[in-house]
C-alpha cells in the first residue's frame, strides 16, 4: 500500500508517530541478542542491516515513535560508513513484513505539490513491540532529542552554516529550551493517541536577521492540516482552539509605516483589508465555483481572495517584479495539476499576473516600497519574535501553546488569554497594535 492512498486520518496519525531513520547502527545490550538471532533467520549477509533495523526501531520506541521513514534508493546507501547495503535493507524489511512484525507503506514523489510527497514509512506492529524488552530500551538506549534549537541555513543550498555562539545566541537557546520544557509538561494527543516527543527549533535563513521562525523538529504536529488539528488534537484531554494573525506580514508593514505617518491609522479604523484590491478585471466562472462548493461540501470558497493573498506574499517575498509574476504563474500551473478537491483557484479564467500585482500595488501604495525587495525573510524574523513573546506570556501564566508560525493552538478554556497575549506581544515588538487583527480558525 502507498502512503498517499491511506485514509487521511490514519495517514496523519502515522506521520505523527514517524521518526526519520538514519544510515546508522550500533551495539546496544537491549537488542544485541535480537540482532544475532534474527540475522540467522533473515539469512545471507544481513547482520549490518539487521543491526540498523533494531537500532532505529529501538531509538524510535524510546521517544514514543511507532514508525520510521526509510530511503530505498540504492544511491542513498552506496558507500555509507556503517557498511549497510540497500539490498540487505530491503531483504530485512521484506522478511519482517512477511512475518507480520512491520507494515511497509511505500512513499511517492508528487511533483504537483511538495506537501503530497511522502517517504516510505515502516510501521512497527505490536508483534515487534512485544518482542522487545522496553524496560531495557528505556534504561540503555540513549534519547535522541534536538541537538541544536537554533540553526542557520544557507539560503541557496539549504546547508547548515556554522553558528558562532555569542550572548544573543545563548539567549535564543534559553528561550527555546524554556518553550520546549513547557510543551513536555502537557499531554498532547491526536485522535486519542499520544504525540511522541515534540521539540521546536528556530531556523534562520543566511544570518540571524532573516527568518527565525519556529519549526517542530521532524515536522510533527505542523504536518497536520488545520481541520484535522481542530477536530482531533487535544492538550491534557481538552480540545484546542487556534487563533492566527490576519494578513500578518502586510499588517506588520502597515504598523511600522504608521510609526512615522499617523494618518495611516485611518486605514485601521476603516477595517482595511490588504488583500481586497480591485478585482473587477478578473474573469470568474461563478457557476464553476458554486458546483465546486457543492461537490466538496464547502461553506465558503473564494478563489479570487486566495490568489490575491498568495500574490501579495509573492510581491513581498520576491526580489523582482518579474520573479513575482513568474511565481504567480507557476503557482497557478501547480494548482491546475492538483486533485480537484485540493485546488484553490477553481473558477478563475486566465488570471493576469501583471494586472493582479498592479492592483495590489495601488491598493497597498503605503507599503509598496517594500515590494520586490526580498523582504519576506525580514518579516519572518519579526513575526518569529512576536511568536516568542506570545509564548512567553502564556508560560508566565503556567500555560503553553503549539506554534504554527503566525497562529497558535491552546486549550479552549484559555482562549481569552491567548488573544490578550497575541495583542500584547505585537505591541511589545512593533510599538503599537493598531493593525493587529486576530481570527479564530
Amino acid at each position: 500500500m502507498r502512503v498517499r492512498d491511506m485514509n487521511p486520518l490514519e495517514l496523519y496519525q502515522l506521520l505523527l508517530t514517524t521518526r526519520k531513520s538514519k544510515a546508522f547502527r550500533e551495539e546496544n545490550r537491549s537488542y544485541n541478542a535480537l540482532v544475532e538471532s534474527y540475522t540467522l533467520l533473515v539469512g545471507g549477509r544481513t547482520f549490518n542491516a539487521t543491526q540498523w533495523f533494531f537500532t532505529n526501531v529501538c531509538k524510535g520506541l524510546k521517544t514514543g515513535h511507532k514508525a520510521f521513514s526509510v530511503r530505498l534508493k540504492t544511491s542513498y546507501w552506496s558507500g555509507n560508513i556503517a557498511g549497510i547495503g540497500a539490498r540487505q535493507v530491503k531483504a530485512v524489511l521484506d522478511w519482517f513484513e512477511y512475518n507480520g512484525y512491520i507494515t511497509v507503506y511505500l512513499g511517492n514523489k508528487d511533483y504537483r505539490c511538495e506537501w503530497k510527497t511522502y517517504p516510505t514509512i515502516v510501521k512497527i506492529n505490536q508483534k515487534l513491540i512485544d518482542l522487545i524488552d522496553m524496560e531495557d530500551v528505556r534504561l540503555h538506549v540513549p534519547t535522541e532529542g534536538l541537538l541544536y534549537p537554533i540553526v542557520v541555513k544557507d539560503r541557496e543550498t539549504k546547508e547548515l552554516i556554522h553558528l558562532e555562539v555569542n550572548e544573543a545566541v545563548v539567549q535564543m537557546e534559553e528561550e527555546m529550551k524554556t518553550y520546549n520544557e513547557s510543551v513536555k509538561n502537557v499531554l498532547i494527543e491526536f485522535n486519542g493517541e499520544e504525540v511522541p516527543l515534540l521539540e521546536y527549533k528556530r531556523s534562520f535563513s543566511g544570518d540571524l536577521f532573516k527568518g527565525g521562525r519556529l519549526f517542530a523538529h521532524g515536522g510533527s504536529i505542523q504536518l497536520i492540516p488545520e481541520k484535522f488539528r481542530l477536530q482531533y488534537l487535544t492538550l491534557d484531554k481538552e480540545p484546542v482552539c487556534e487563533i492566527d494573525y490576519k494578513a500578518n506580514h502586510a499588517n506588520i508593514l502597515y504598523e511600522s509605516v504608521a510609526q512615522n505617518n499617523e494618518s495611516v491609522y485611518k486605514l485601521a479604523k476603516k477595517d482595511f483589508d490588504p488583500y481586497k484590491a480591485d478585482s473587477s478585471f478578473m474573469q470568474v466562472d461563478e457557476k464553476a465555483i458554486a458546483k465546486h462548493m457543492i461537490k466538496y461540501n464547502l461553506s465558503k470558497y473564494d478563489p479570487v481572495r486566495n490568489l490575491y493573498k498568495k500574490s501579495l506574499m509573492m510581491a513581498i517575498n520576491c526580489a523582482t517584479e518579474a520573479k513575482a509574476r513568474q511565481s504567480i504563474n507557476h503557482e497557478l500551473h501547480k494548482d491546475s495539476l492538483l486533485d480537484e478537491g485540493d485546488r484553490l483557484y477553481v473558477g478563475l479564467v486566465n488570471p493576469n499576473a501583471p494586472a493582479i500585482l498592479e492592483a495590489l500595488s495601488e491598493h497597498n501604495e503605503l507599503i509598496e516600497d517594500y515590494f520586490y525587495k526580498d523582504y519576506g525573510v525580514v518579516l519572518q524574523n519579526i513575526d518569529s519574535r512576536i511568536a516568542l513573546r506570545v509564548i512567553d506570556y502564556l508560560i508566565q501564566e503556567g500555560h503553553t501553546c503549539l506554534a504554527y508560525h503566525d497562529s497558535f493552538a491552546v486549550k479552549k478554556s484559555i482562549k481569552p488569554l491567548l488573544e490578550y497575549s497575541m495583542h500584547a506581544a505585537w505591541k511589545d515588538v512593533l510599538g503599537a497594535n493598531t493593525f493587529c487583527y486576530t481570527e479564530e480558525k
Side-chain angles (χ1 to χ4, degrees), residues 6 33-34 61 83 85-86 89 129 140 180 197 200 232 278 295 327:
M6 297 179 69
L34 291 172
L61 291 175
V89 166
I129 295 173
H140 303 297
N180 285 327
L197 179 66
Y200 282 89
Y232 296 105
D278 175 42
K295 184 175 180 179
S327 298

Side-chain angles (χ1 to χ4, degrees), residues 148-166 169 172-173 201-213 381:
Y148 304 107
I150 307 296
V151 296
V152 182
K153 294 182 179 180
D154 185 278
R155 293 194 66 185
E156 298 298 326
T157 66
K158 308 304 179 185
E159 296 291 326
L160 288 175
I161 298 174
H162 173 70
L163 181 60
E164 183 178 339
V165 178
N166 55 32
V169 173
M172 289 183 206
E173 290 178 338
K201 62 185 175 184
R202 286 188 78 184
S203 183
F204 291 86
S205 184
D207 57 50
L208 292 174
F209 301 99
K210 300 182 185 73
R213 281 183 156 182
N381 189 271

Side-chain angles (χ1 to χ4, degrees), residues 29-39 41-42 50 53-54 57-58 61 92 95-97 99-102 124-137:
R29 61 183 294 180
S30 66
Y31 53 77
N32 283 341
L34 291 172
V35 173
E36 294 286 351
S37 58
Y38 278 87
T39 297
L41 290 170
V42 176
T50 303
F53 177 79
F54 279 104
V57 166
C58 291
L61 291 175
V92 168
W95 189 93
F96 278 95
E97 182 173 38
N99 287 280
Y101 292 100
I102 60 174
I124 303 169
N125 295 338
Q126 191 61 44
K127 184 176 179 180
L128 180 55
I129 295 173
D130 292 340
L131 187 69
I132 295 167
D133 188 331
M134 287 305 299
E135 188 59 36
D136 262 0
V137 168

Side-chain angles (χ1 to χ4, degrees), residues 233-303:
L233 200 60
T234 60
L235 300 177
D236 288 337
K237 302 291 186 181
E238 185 178 332
V240 301
C241 72
E242 187 172 337
I243 301 176
D244 75 341
Y245 287 114
K246 294 174 63 177
N248 189 29
H249 283 182
N251 281 326
I252 288 175
L253 290 174
Y254 277 107
E255 196 76 76
S256 301
V257 169
Q259 307 287 318
N260 300 316
N261 183 357
E262 291 191 2
S263 64
V264 176
Y265 287 122
K266 294 178 182 178
L267 293 177
K269 295 177 182 178
K270 298 177 181 178
D271 293 326
F272 179 76
D273 184 346
Y275 304 137
K276 209 166 186 179
D278 175 42
S279 61
S280 59
F281 59 89
M282 296 279 288
Q283 295 183 55
V284 181
D285 186 338
E286 300 289 355
K287 183 177 180 181
I289 293 174
K291 291 174 71 174
H292 183 75
M293 293 178 68
I294 293 170
K295 184 175 180 179
Y296 295 99
N297 193 30
L298 302 174
S299 59
K300 59 181 180 178
Y301 184 78
D302 189 344

Side-chain angles (χ1 to χ4, degrees), residues 2 70 87 94 121 160 179 184 209 219 267 305 315 321 326 343 405 439:
R2 293 190 304 173
V70 59
R87 282 187 296 178
D94 286 347
I121 296 177
L160 288 175
Y179 178 35
K184 287 179 184 177
F209 301 99
L267 293 177
R305 183 176 176 80
E321 185 175 352
Q326 180 184 3
R343 293 185 58 193
H405 305 319
E439 180 179 46

Side-chain angles (χ1 to χ4, degrees), residues 37-150:
S37 58
Y38 278 87
T39 297
L40 294 174
L41 290 170
V42 176
R45 301 174 63 182
T46 58
F47 177 86
N48 290 358
T50 303
Q51 190 175 62
W52 161 84
F53 177 79
F54 279 104
T55 298
N56 280 280
V57 166
C58 291
K59 283 183 177 293
L61 291 175
K62 176 67 180 284
T63 52
H65 294 86
K66 296 179 180 178
F68 60 90
S69 62
V70 59
R71 296 187 185 183
L72 296 179
K73 282 190 175 181
T74 303
S75 58
Y76 172 75
W77 297 97
S78 180
N80 70 82
I81 60 174
I84 307 165
R87 282 187 296 178
Q88 286 71 36
V89 166
K90 189 174 186 312
V92 168
L93 294 178
D94 286 347
W95 189 93
F96 278 95
E97 182 173 38
Y98 178 80
N99 287 280
Y101 292 100
I102 60 174
T103 302
V104 178
Y105 297 93
L106 294 176
N108 66 284
K109 179 74 174 179
D110 195 325
Y111 294 94
R112 303 172 304 169
C113 51
E114 186 176 324
W115 56 271
K116 280 205 165 185
T117 293
Y118 300 110
T120 292
I121 296 177
V122 177
K123 181 182 178 183
I124 303 169
N125 295 338
Q126 191 61 44
K127 184 176 179 180
L128 180 55
I129 295 173
D130 292 340
L131 187 69
I132 295 167
D133 188 331
M134 287 305 299
E135 188 59 36
D136 262 0
V137 168
R138 282 187 283 269
L139 285 173
H140 303 297
V141 174
T143 299
E144 278 196 357
L146 181 64
L147 292 177
Y148 304 107
I150 307 296

